[in-house]
Amino acid sequence: MTATPVLPDGWTLVALDSVGSTNDEAARLADAGAAEGTVVWAREQTGGRGRRGRHWASPAGNLYSSTILRPVCAPPRATELGFVAALAVADVVPAGRDVRVKWPNDVMVDGGKIAGILLESSIGQGGIVEHVVAGIGINVRFAPQLADMRYPGAALGGSVEGALEQLTRALSRRLAEWRRDGFETVRAAWLDRAGPLGIEVDVRLGEELVRGRFAGLDREGALLLETPAGPRKIVSGELLGRAA
Ligand code: BTN
């Protein structure tokens, strides 16, 4: 356990006791020119945000971090970073626990959600990505249980400092892999950690509920389903239940 987390070479830590949302603080720093690998970490968040406008409970004891990334790519490719981040989270889970990634960016451990990932991009003139903030929350000491939670929670154990060190190392490795090999390697690693092909899943698309068999992930990160009406490709939606 270390008091001040040590980040990978060239990365910079901005450590805060309390902040509204580390994503907002990281976006502010990115707009002011902060480099890739700047990590905003707060012991607690007073306005932690989840996907789809949800609240992310953020009392002290769990990990709240947002990393500034500056990929040189068009917006559709930036969404690949959600899969990169999910793999990095899965990498920090100790061996012996059942870890599964769940489309699009969830990480489940022993059947419970252990982490949340909120990617937010800033698009500049010409439609090029200026920066991406990869906000990652990991349940370390406890799993908050809220009335609107769709899954049970799970927790990593250990220290928040240790979790941040491991997460940034894993993220640095996975990013290097993505830059070197492209999405294909990430996609294969993600499928390796996902639920088995063929299991039945439900996906919510706004008001519509689609049921089908999990048939993989396409080259752009869309979820592939075999439904009674034929194959279906889901670009944006919410997978319900615990698997895939
Ligand atoms: C989800 O809905 O699953 C995503 C939750 C993302 C939470 C993290 S905690 C660090 C960062 N700051 C935020 O306000 N949200 C993300």
Side-chain angles (χ1 to χ4, degrees):
M1 194 196 302
T2 51
T4 304
V6 177
L7 268 47
D9 284 350
W11 289 42
T12 306
L13 180 63
V14 177
L16 305 168
D17 283 331
S18 180
V19 73
S21 159
T22 54
N23 264 34
D24 294 342
E25 185 59 17
R28 199 183 62 71
L29 293 174
D31 286 340
E36 161 145 328
T38 302
V39 179
V40 178
W41 165 50
R43 297 240 172 228
E44 65 160 21
Q45 298 183 116
T46 53
R49 296 187 286 108
R51 291 199 304 265
R52 300 176 181 277
R54 290 195 183 98
H55 167 68
W56 187 258
S58 308
N62 289 336
L63 175 64
Y64 314 109
S65 70
S66 298
T67 302
I68 296 173
L69 304 174
R70 294 193 179 276
V72 182
C73 67
R77 281 215 65 209
T79 62
E80 296 172 8
L81 292 167
F83 299 92
V84 172
L87 286 173
V89 171
D91 289 343
V92 310
V93 178
R97 298 185 71 178
D98 177 35
V99 54
R100 296 269 174 96
V101 292
K102 182 174 158 168
W103 189 84
N105 300 154
D106 280 332
V107 181
M108 313 294 283
V109 172
D110 303 329
K113 175 162 163 153
I114 203 164
I117 296 171
L118 180 64
L119 279 195
E120 295 182 312
S121 304
S122 162
I123 312 299
Q125 282 177 355
I128 290 296
V129 175
E130 279 189 339
H131 69 252
V132 175
V133 170
I136 303 178
I138 301 183
N139 298 336
V140 176
R141 296 250 299 272
F142 50 82
Q145 292 293 344
L146 303 174
D148 68 345
M149 265 183 80
R150 291 154 299 133
Y151 317 106
L156 190 64
S159 72
V160 173
E161 292 86 351
L164 180 60
E165 289 190 349
Q166 289 185 52
L167 175 67
T168 51
R169 272 202 301 271
L171 197 52
S172 163
R173 268 197 315 270
R174 291 287 182 183
L175 280 166
E177 190 176 67
W178 177 71
R179 287 203 161 101
R180 193 185 57 233
D181 303 340
F183 187 55
E184 210 35 51
T185 303
V186 174
R187 178 172 162 266
W190 189 92
L191 281 168
D192 225 39
R193 293 238 185 223
L197 295 180
I199 56 168
E200 206 160 84
V201 296
D202 290 329
V203 183
R204 189 186 301 287
L205 305 171
E207 295 299 299
E208 189 192 2
L209 192 68
V210 181
R211 174 160 293 179
R213 292 190 182 279
F214 175 49
L217 188 69
D218 84 352
R219 286 167 196 281
E220 275 84 46
L223 177 71
L224 300 176
L225 288 186
E226 280 301 333
T227 75
R232 188 128 179 211
K233 183 164 118 172
I234 315 277
V235 175
S236 160
E238 189 173 16
L239 203 133
L240 308 176
R242 297 187 184 186

PDB file of all heavy atoms in Angstrom, residues 207-229:
ATOM      1  N   GLU A 207     -37.396   2.839 -25.661  1.00  0.00           N
ATOM      2  CA  GLU A 207     -38.604   2.153 -25.189  1.00  0.00           C
ATOM      3  C   GLU A 207     -38.656   0.699 -25.646  1.00  0.00           C
ATOM      4  O   GLU A 207     -39.437  -0.095 -25.142  1.00  0.00           O
ATOM      5  CB  GLU A 207     -39.864   2.874 -25.716  1.00  0.00           C
ATOM      6  CG  GLU A 207     -40.050   4.285 -25.190  1.00  0.00           C
ATOM      7  CD  GLU A 207     -40.203   4.282 -23.674  1.00  0.00           C
ATOM      8  OE1 GLU A 207     -41.156   3.660 -23.162  1.00  0.00           O
ATOM      9  OE2 GLU A 207     -39.340   4.890 -23.004  1.00  0.00           O
ATOM     10  N   GLU A 208     -37.816   0.369 -26.626  1.00  0.00           N
ATOM     11  CA  GLU A 208     -37.870  -0.978 -27.207  1.00  0.00           C
ATOM     12  C   GLU A 208     -36.992  -1.953 -26.423  1.00  0.00           C
ATOM     13  O   GLU A 208     -35.893  -1.608 -25.984  1.00  0.00           O
ATOM     14  CB  GLU A 208     -37.353  -0.897 -28.661  1.00  0.00           C
ATOM     15  CG  GLU A 208     -37.543  -2.168 -29.460  1.00  0.00           C
ATOM     16  CD  GLU A 208     -36.759  -2.152 -30.783  1.00  0.00           C
ATOM     17  OE1 GLU A 208     -36.038  -1.170 -31.044  1.00  0.00           O
ATOM     18  OE2 GLU A 208     -36.871  -3.140 -31.529  1.00  0.00           O
ATOM     19  N   LEU A 209     -37.488  -3.168 -26.234  1.00  0.00           N
ATOM     20  CA  LEU A 209     -36.695  -4.215 -25.590  1.00  0.00           C
ATOM     21  C   LEU A 209     -36.427  -5.300 -26.627  1.00  0.00           C
ATOM     22  O   LEU A 209     -37.355  -5.869 -27.198  1.00  0.00           O
ATOM     23  CB  LEU A 209     -37.475  -4.795 -24.407  1.00  0.00           C
ATOM     24  CG  LEU A 209     -36.661  -5.681 -23.483  1.00  0.00           C
ATOM     25  CD1 LEU A 209     -35.611  -4.864 -22.733  1.00  0.00           C
ATOM     26  CD2 LEU A 209     -37.578  -6.366 -22.475  1.00  0.00           C
ATOM     27  N   VAL A 210     -35.157  -5.557 -26.903  1.00  0.00           N
ATOM     28  CA  VAL A 210     -34.803  -6.555 -27.912  1.00  0.00           C
ATOM     29  C   VAL A 210     -34.232  -7.777 -27.204  1.00  0.00           C
ATOM     30  O   VAL A 210     -33.330  -7.653 -26.372  1.00  0.00           O
ATOM     31  CB  VAL A 210     -33.734  -5.999 -28.884  1.00  0.00           C
ATOM     32  CG1 VAL A 210     -33.379  -7.040 -29.940  1.00  0.00           C
ATOM     33  CG2 VAL A 210     -34.224  -4.721 -29.544  1.00  0.00           C
ATOM     34  N   ARG A 211     -34.757  -8.950 -27.542  1.00  0.00           N
ATOM     35  CA  ARG A 211     -34.225 -10.199 -26.973  1.00  0.00           C
ATOM     36  C   ARG A 211     -33.548 -10.989 -28.077  1.00  0.00           C
ATOM     37  O   ARG A 211     -34.059 -11.071 -29.193  1.00  0.00           O
ATOM     38  CB  ARG A 211     -35.357 -11.018 -26.358  1.00  0.00           C
ATOM     39  CG  ARG A 211     -34.894 -12.385 -25.894  1.00  0.00           C
ATOM     40  CD  ARG A 211     -35.831 -12.971 -24.886  1.00  0.00           C
ATOM     41  NE  ARG A 211     -35.818 -12.210 -23.637  1.00  0.00           N
ATOM     42  CZ  ARG A 211     -36.575 -12.519 -22.579  1.00  0.00           C
ATOM     43  NH1 ARG A 211     -37.411 -13.529 -22.633  1.00  0.00           N
ATOM     44  NH2 ARG A 211     -36.491 -11.805 -21.480  1.00  0.00           N
ATOM     45  N   GLY A 212     -32.378 -11.519 -27.768  1.00  0.00           N
ATOM     46  CA  GLY A 212     -31.689 -12.309 -28.789  1.00  0.00           C
ATOM     47  C   GLY A 212     -30.537 -13.079 -28.186  1.00  0.00           C
ATOM     48  O   GLY A 212     -30.315 -13.060 -26.981  1.00  0.00           O
ATOM     49  N   ARG A 213     -29.823 -13.769 -29.069  1.00  0.00           N
ATOM     50  CA  ARG A 213     -28.647 -14.513 -28.607  1.00  0.00           C
ATOM     51  C   ARG A 213     -27.398 -13.707 -28.924  1.00  0.00           C
ATOM     52  O   ARG A 213     -27.262 -13.182 -30.026  1.00  0.00           O
ATOM     53  CB  ARG A 213     -28.581 -15.882 -29.283  1.00  0.00           C
ATOM     54  CG  ARG A 213     -29.700 -16.777 -28.824  1.00  0.00           C
ATOM     55  CD  ARG A 213     -29.519 -18.210 -29.276  1.00  0.00           C
ATOM     56  NE  ARG A 213     -30.661 -18.998 -28.844  1.00  0.00           N
ATOM     57  CZ  ARG A 213     -30.796 -19.495 -27.612  1.00  0.00           C
ATOM     58  NH1 ARG A 213     -29.845 -19.326 -26.724  1.00  0.00           N
ATOM     59  NH2 ARG A 213     -31.873 -20.183 -27.286  1.00  0.00           N
ATOM     60  N   PHE A 214     -26.501 -13.613 -27.952  1.00  0.00           N
ATOM     61  CA  PHE A 214     -25.249 -12.872 -28.097  1.00  0.00           C
ATOM     62  C   PHE A 214     -24.425 -13.514 -29.211  1.00  0.00           C
ATOM     63  O   PHE A 214     -24.104 -14.703 -29.155  1.00  0.00           O
ATOM     64  CB  PHE A 214     -24.509 -12.910 -26.762  1.00  0.00           C
ATOM     65  CG  PHE A 214     -23.143 -12.287 -26.776  1.00  0.00           C
ATOM     66  CD1 PHE A 214     -22.933 -11.029 -27.313  1.00  0.00           C
ATOM     67  CD2 PHE A 214     -22.059 -12.954 -26.218  1.00  0.00           C
ATOM     68  CE1 PHE A 214     -21.662 -10.456 -27.315  1.00  0.00           C
ATOM     69  CE2 PHE A 214     -20.800 -12.388 -26.199  1.00  0.00           C
ATOM     70  CZ  PHE A 214     -20.598 -11.139 -26.748  1.00  0.00           C
ATOM     71  N   ALA A 215     -24.094 -12.709 -30.242  1.00  0.00           N
ATOM     72  CA  ALA A 215     -23.385 -13.260 -31.400  1.00  0.00           C
ATOM     73  C   ALA A 215     -22.059 -12.554 -31.648  1.00  0.00           C
ATOM     74  O   ALA A 215     -21.457 -12.729 -32.707  1.00  0.00           O
ATOM     75  CB  ALA A 215     -24.278 -13.157 -32.644  1.00  0.00           C
ATOM     76  N   GLY A 216     -21.604 -11.743 -30.678  1.00  0.00           N
ATOM     77  CA  GLY A 216     -20.280 -11.146 -30.808  1.00  0.00           C
ATOM     78  C   GLY A 216     -20.285  -9.640 -30.873  1.00  0.00           C
ATOM     79  O   GLY A 216     -21.284  -8.977 -30.548  1.00  0.00           O
ATOM     80  N   LEU A 217     -19.149  -9.116 -31.290  1.00  0.00           N
ATOM     81  CA  LEU A 217     -18.898  -7.680 -31.333  1.00  0.00           C
ATOM     82  C   LEU A 217     -18.359  -7.399 -32.735  1.00  0.00           C
ATOM     83  O   LEU A 217     -17.459  -8.108 -33.191  1.00  0.00           O
ATOM     84  CB  LEU A 217     -17.795  -7.396 -30.291  1.00  0.00           C
ATOM     85  CG  LEU A 217     -17.425  -5.969 -29.957  1.00  0.00           C
ATOM     86  CD1 LEU A 217     -18.583  -5.309 -29.190  1.00  0.00           C
ATOM     87  CD2 LEU A 217     -16.172  -5.946 -29.077  1.00  0.00           C
ATOM     88  N   ASP A 218     -18.894  -6.379 -33.418  1.00  0.00           N
ATOM     89  CA  ASP A 218     -18.379  -6.163 -34.774  1.00  0.00           C
ATOM     90  C   ASP A 218     -17.124  -5.281 -34.754  1.00  0.00           C
ATOM     91  O   ASP A 218     -16.658  -4.876 -33.688  1.00  0.00           O
ATOM     92  CB  ASP A 218     -19.474  -5.654 -35.716  1.00  0.00           C
ATOM     93  CG  ASP A 218     -19.663  -4.151 -35.637  1.00  0.00           C
ATOM     94  OD1 ASP A 218     -19.069  -3.500 -34.747  1.00  0.00           O
ATOM     95  OD2 ASP A 218     -20.409  -3.612 -36.474  1.00  0.00           O
ATOM     96  N   ARG A 219     -16.593  -4.973 -35.925  1.00  0.00           N
ATOM     97  CA  ARG A 219     -15.315  -4.264 -36.003  1.00  0.00           C
ATOM     98  C   ARG A 219     -15.396  -2.820 -35.546  1.00  0.00           C
ATOM     99  O   ARG A 219     -14.388  -2.142 -35.403  1.00  0.00           O
ATOM    100  CB  ARG A 219     -14.783  -4.318 -37.437  1.00  0.00           C
ATOM    101  CG  ARG A 219     -14.254  -5.673 -37.791  1.00  0.00           C
ATOM    102  CD  ARG A 219     -14.025  -5.830 -39.282  1.00  0.00           C
ATOM    103  NE  ARG A 219     -13.882  -7.235 -39.605  1.00  0.00           N
ATOM    104  CZ  ARG A 219     -12.771  -7.937 -39.417  1.00  0.00           C
ATOM    105  NH1 ARG A 219     -11.716  -7.360 -38.911  1.00  0.00           N
ATOM    106  NH2 ARG A 219     -12.717  -9.210 -39.713  1.00  0.00           N
ATOM    107  N   GLU A 220     -16.620  -2.313 -35.350  1.00  0.00           N
ATOM    108  CA  GLU A 220     -16.785  -0.944 -34.841  1.00  0.00           C
ATOM    109  C   GLU A 220     -17.236  -0.933 -33.381  1.00  0.00           C
ATOM    110  O   GLU A 220     -17.531   0.116 -32.833  1.00  0.00           O
ATOM    111  CB  GLU A 220     -17.814  -0.167 -35.669  1.00  0.00           C
ATOM    112  CG  GLU A 220     -17.244   0.476 -36.922  1.00  0.00           C
ATOM    113  CD  GLU A 220     -17.199  -0.502 -38.085  1.00  0.00           C
ATOM    114  OE1 GLU A 220     -18.208  -1.192 -38.300  1.00  0.00           O
ATOM    115  OE2 GLU A 220     -16.148  -0.597 -38.746  1.00  0.00           O
ATOM    116  N   GLY A 221     -17.329  -2.112 -32.771  1.00  0.00           N
ATOM    117  CA  GLY A 221     -17.728  -2.164 -31.364  1.00  0.00           C
ATOM    118  C   GLY A 221     -19.221  -2.309 -31.154  1.00  0.00           C
ATOM    119  O   GLY A 221     -19.707  -2.204 -30.022  1.00  0.00           O
ATOM    120  N   ALA A 222     -19.996  -2.539 -32.229  1.00  0.00           N
ATOM    121  CA  ALA A 222     -21.440  -2.742 -32.071  1.00  0.00           C
ATOM    122  C   ALA A 222     -21.704  -4.170 -31.572  1.00  0.00           C
ATOM    123  O   ALA A 222     -20.961  -5.101 -31.894  1.00  0.00           O
ATOM    124  CB  ALA A 222     -22.154  -2.524 -33.399  1.00  0.00           C
ATOM    125  N   LEU A 223     -22.770  -4.308 -30.793  1.00  0.00           N
ATOM    126  CA  LEU A 223     -23.171  -5.618 -30.267  1.00  0.00           C
ATOM    127  C   LEU A 223     -23.939  -6.373 -31.351  1.00  0.00           C
ATOM    128  O   LEU A 223     -24.853  -5.825 -31.966  1.00  0.00           O
ATOM    129  CB  LEU A 223     -24.069  -5.398 -29.049  1.00  0.00           C
ATOM    130  CG  LEU A 223     -24.664  -6.622 -28.392  1.00  0.00           C
ATOM    131  CD1 LEU A 223     -23.579  -7.418 -27.664  1.00  0.00           C
ATOM    132  CD2 LEU A 223     -25.751  -6.215 -27.406  1.00  0.00           C
ATOM    133  N   LEU A 224     -23.572  -7.618 -31.573  1.00  0.00           N
ATOM    134  CA  LEU A 224     -24.266  -8.433 -32.576  1.00  0.00           C
ATOM    135  C   LEU A 224     -25.203  -9.409 -31.870  1.00  0.00           C
ATOM    136  O   LEU A 224     -24.804 -10.099 -30.928  1.00  0.00           O
ATOM    137  CB  LEU A 224     -23.245  -9.204 -33.415  1.00  0.00           C
ATOM    138  CG  LEU A 224     -22.252  -8.313 -34.177  1.00  0.00           C
ATOM    139  CD1 LEU A 224     -21.207  -9.160 -34.904  1.00  0.00           C
ATOM    140  CD2 LEU A 224     -22.979  -7.403 -35.166  1.00  0.00           C
ATOM    141  N   LEU A 225     -26.431  -9.429 -32.341  1.00  0.00           N
ATOM    142  CA  LEU A 225     -27.442 -10.317 -31.761  1.00  0.00           C
ATOM    143  C   LEU A 225     -28.090 -11.159 -32.847  1.00  0.00           C
ATOM    144  O   LEU A 225     -28.282 -10.690 -33.970  1.00  0.00           O
ATOM    145  CB  LEU A 225     -28.570  -9.502 -31.106  1.00  0.00           C
ATOM    146  CG  LEU A 225     -28.316  -8.763 -29.811  1.00  0.00           C
ATOM    147  CD1 LEU A 225     -29.637  -8.179 -29.320  1.00  0.00           C
ATOM    148  CD2 LEU A 225     -27.732  -9.678 -28.754  1.00  0.00           C
ATOM    149  N   GLU A 226     -28.446 -12.375 -32.503  1.00  0.00           N
ATOM    150  CA  GLU A 226     -29.318 -13.193 -33.362  1.00  0.00           C
ATOM    151  C   GLU A 226     -30.696 -13.129 -32.723  1.00  0.00           C
ATOM    152  O   GLU A 226     -30.880 -13.637 -31.616  1.00  0.00           O
ATOM    153  CB  GLU A 226     -28.851 -14.647 -33.374  1.00  0.00           C
ATOM    154  CG  GLU A 226     -27.685 -14.942 -34.300  1.00  0.00           C
ATOM    155  CD  GLU A 226     -27.964 -14.601 -35.768  1.00  0.00           C
ATOM    156  OE1 GLU A 226     -29.148 -14.621 -36.174  1.00  0.00           O
ATOM    157  OE2 GLU A 226     -27.001 -14.299 -36.484  1.00  0.00           O
ATOM    158  N   THR A 227     -31.634 -12.475 -33.379  1.00  0.00           N
ATOM    159  CA  THR A 227     -32.980 -12.369 -32.803  1.00  0.00           C
ATOM    160  C   THR A 227     -33.923 -13.268 -33.613  1.00  0.00           C
ATOM    161  O   THR A 227     -33.581 -13.678 -34.737  1.00  0.00           O
ATOM    162  CB  THR A 227     -33.501 -10.913 -32.860  1.00  0.00           C
ATOM    163  OG1 THR A 227     -33.884 -10.626 -34.209  1.00  0.00           O
ATOM    164  CG2 THR A 227     -32.454  -9.918 -32.402  1.00  0.00           C
ATOM    165  N   PRO A 228     -35.112 -13.547 -33.093  1.00  0.00           N
ATOM    166  CA  PRO A 228     -36.065 -14.357 -33.855  1.00  0.00           C
ATOM    167  C   PRO A 228     -36.359 -13.742 -35.227  1.00  0.00           C
ATOM    168  O   PRO A 228     -36.684 -14.446 -36.182  1.00  0.00           O
ATOM    169  CB  PRO A 228     -37.313 -14.363 -32.971  1.00  0.00           C
ATOM    170  CG  PRO A 228     -36.794 -14.109 -31.593  1.00  0.00           C
ATOM    171  CD  PRO A 228     -35.592 -13.227 -31.754  1.00  0.00           C
ATOM    172  N   ALA A 229     -36.193 -12.407 -35.349  1.00  0.00           N
ATOM    173  CA  ALA A 229     -36.461 -11.742 -36.633  1.00  0.00           C
ATOM    174  C   ALA A 229     -35.217 -11.676 -37.514  1.00  0.00           C
ATOM    175  O   ALA A 229     -35.262 -11.077 -38.586  1.00  0.00           O
ATOM    176  CB  ALA A 229     -36.984 -10.333 -36.365  1.00  0.00           C
TER     177      ALA A 229
END
